[in-house]
Amino acid sequence: MPPGFLIVLDGIDGTGKSTHARRLGNWLTSRGRDVILSCEPTDGPWGAKLRESAATGRLSPDDELLYFLNDRRQHVEEIIAPSLAAGKVVVLDRYYFSTMAYQGARGFNPTEIRRLNEAFAPVPDLLLILDLEVDTALARIGSRGDTANAFEKRENLERCRTIFLSLSNEPFTRIIDSNGTQDEVAALIRQAAQEWGAAPGYDAHDGRTAVK
Ligand code: TYD
């Protein structure tokens, strides 16, 4: 049985994490790996409360942090840890780096958030940070960011991006410049996954195989 492998795609809103998590999952499956694709916040009870709060008004900073931690603890116990133990490749769309960034932007210390998470959540083998300028990311999600609220959102995302980029020197991190076409970015991601050993057998031509 091959060892389990944990790959995380993270970054600010609008960088294409969900699309690329799906494409990476399909490609790894085509390379013969057993893949579990999952995301945070999850569809579990804590994730549902968090999504609800996006519509009804944000929770207090303390409650929000607690709910994300509870959601992740359940995710680790029920999906992430058992899948890794079974030798699967787990591809996650967001993980505790989002908590460092978004709850960090709300005032918590990112280093402390990381410590709280790493007490129960496995450190990934590969963290892909999909990176774009905030204005480019906002344009992609259809927001011009020129109203008062959106301005706040832009400021907030700038803080989040800075925290994500502060992880660039970690040995497991690869920053993915997400300005290219979807196919170009997918090729960068596949190359990183292969170099890190997520898929068997390195083939220099693989970046060009048309797996959607
Ligand atoms: P998102 O990935 O946009 O979910 P969906 O596509 O289902 O709406 O995540 C929702 C928001 O949650 C996003 O703005 C980032 C935020 N978030 C945090 O603030 N902390 C976290 O730990 C996570 C995982 C997400």
Side-chain angles (χ1 to χ4, degrees):
M1 187 170 77
F5 198 96
L6 179 57
I7 306 183
V8 175
L9 285 83
D10 225 320
I12 59 172
D13 301 83
T15 49
K17 293 176 298 300
S18 310
T19 301
H20 286 295
R22 198 183 60 246
R23 285 187 66 155
L24 177 63
N26 289 345
W27 179 74
L28 288 164
T29 303
S30 79
R31 301 302 310 260
R33 295 300 312 253
D34 200 349
V35 175
I36 295 289
L37 191 60
S38 194
C39 75
E40 294 188 357
T42 71
D43 291 334
W46 298 102
K49 286 191 224 287
L50 284 158
R51 288 219 166 76
E52 205 178 280
S53 77
T56 57
R58 249 178 121 166
L59 297 162
S60 72
D62 284 341
D63 281 351
E64 192 179 66
L65 176 61
L66 183 69
Y67 285 24
F68 275 114
L69 288 169
N70 288 346
D71 187 44
R72 183 161 307 118
R73 200 171 276 112
Q74 193 167 10
H75 197 199
V76 168
E77 279 171 15
E78 293 178 4
I79 294 174
I80 300 173
S83 302
L84 292 173
K88 297 179 185 177
V89 181
V90 178
V91 177
L92 297 182
D93 172 0
R94 294 195 186 277
Y95 196 35
Y96 62 85
F97 310 98
S98 278
T99 319
M100 290 174 68
Y102 286 82
Q103 281 60 58
R106 249 190 133 176
F108 291 98
N109 178 341
T111 308
E112 175 62 9
I113 294 176
R114 180 174 181 175
R115 195 189 61 75
L116 286 173
N117 278 278
E118 289 181 353
F120 68 88
V123 174
D125 296 288
L126 175 58
L127 166 63
L128 298 164
I129 296 189
L130 274 57
D131 184 54
L132 283 177
E133 297 271 350
V134 170
D135 283 345
T136 310
L138 284 172
R140 286 195 184 179
I141 55 182
S143 164
R144 286 191 302 142
D146 57 0
T147 64
N149 274 347
F151 178 76
E152 280 170 27
K153 185 160 188 191
R154 171 189 279 137
E155 294 283 292
N156 187 53
L157 289 180
E158 290 286 4
R159 283 200 288 276
C160 292
R161 183 180 184 219
T162 301
I163 297 170
F164 279 125
L165 291 178
S166 76
L167 291 156
S168 64
N169 288 330
E170 295 293 333
F172 53 78
T173 301
R174 185 83 161 247
I175 306 289
I176 301 290
D177 177 348
S178 302
N179 282 289
T181 64
Q182 198 193 105
D183 283 350
E184 284 165 352
V185 175
L188 290 176
I189 289 173
R190 286 200 293 264
Q191 191 187 354
Q194 202 154 37
E195 283 173 16
W196 254 263
Y202 183 75
D203 173 351
H205 295 288
D206 254 24
R208 278 174 254 143
T209 45
V211 178
K212 298 289 174 206

